[in-house]
Structures are given as structure tokens and as C-alpha cells.
Amino acid sequence: NSILVHCSLAGGGIPVNSEQDSVIGIIPITSPPGTIINYNPNHLNHVLVNDLIGHTSSFIRFWITSETGAPLDTKGEGFIIYLKLQWYY
């Protein structure tokens, strides 16, 4: 089981089950329900955001889903995502 992290900037994102749907991270579920999952990937994912070429964006949306793409009910608990963004010319 895993949690998928999505971002509106990632047009295609990381392929999951042969589909691309703005996924920027896949977090394995290693803790029981109601506990904190602290995940630090061994390798950083590189996701192209070619949709931004020649455009600007003033809004970024993040959301999490199950591995099947279903929205997750966090029972009112928030989630925090730390990102490292780099631009290559």
C-alpha cells in the first residue's frame, strides 16, 4: 500500500500502473493508522514541468490519494510536504 502525492505543476508526473496523473511522489505506508508516516526517499524523483515553459503560475495545488487514485480521508488531520525545487536551463 502507498500514498500518492500529486501536484498541479507536474503535467504527467511519475507513471503509476502505466498511467500519469500529476504524481510527484509515492510514499509507502509503513505505519499503522493514526500514526505519523515520516518518509524520506533514498532517491529524489525528477518530474518535468514542461507545461510552464513560456507561462507563469501563481497557484500550486497538492493533494494525496490512495494508490488507486481515490481521495484519502485524513479525518481532519493535515499533511505536510517538503519539496526541493530546482530549475535547469
Side-chain angles (χ1 to χ4, degrees):
N1 293 340
S2 58
I3 295 172
L4 304 182
V5 180
H6 302 258
C7 177
S8 60
L9 291 181
I14 301 168
V16 177
N17 297 327
S18 301
E19 294 185 22
Q20 291 180 301
D21 185 25
S22 304
V23 174
I24 61 169
I26 302 171
I27 302 171
I29 298 174
T30 57
S31 302
T35 60
I36 293 175
I37 298 174
N38 188 3
Y39 176 68
N40 190 9
N42 293 327
H43 303 284
L44 297 179
N45 295 319
H46 292 88
V47 178
L48 298 176
V49 289
N50 291 337
D51 297 347
L52 285 180
I53 296 174
H55 300 90
T56 60
S57 180
S58 59
F59 178 79
I60 302 173
R61 179 176 169 247
F62 295 95
W63 67 100
I64 55 176
T65 67
S66 70
E67 58 193 13
T68 63
L72 291 181
D73 182 3
T74 62
K75 307 278 190 232
E77 295 289 330
F79 60 93
I80 298 172
I81 300 170
Y82 293 100
L83 298 174
K84 178 179 180 180
L85 301 175
Q86 289 183 301
W87 282 260
Y88 297 99
Y89 298 97

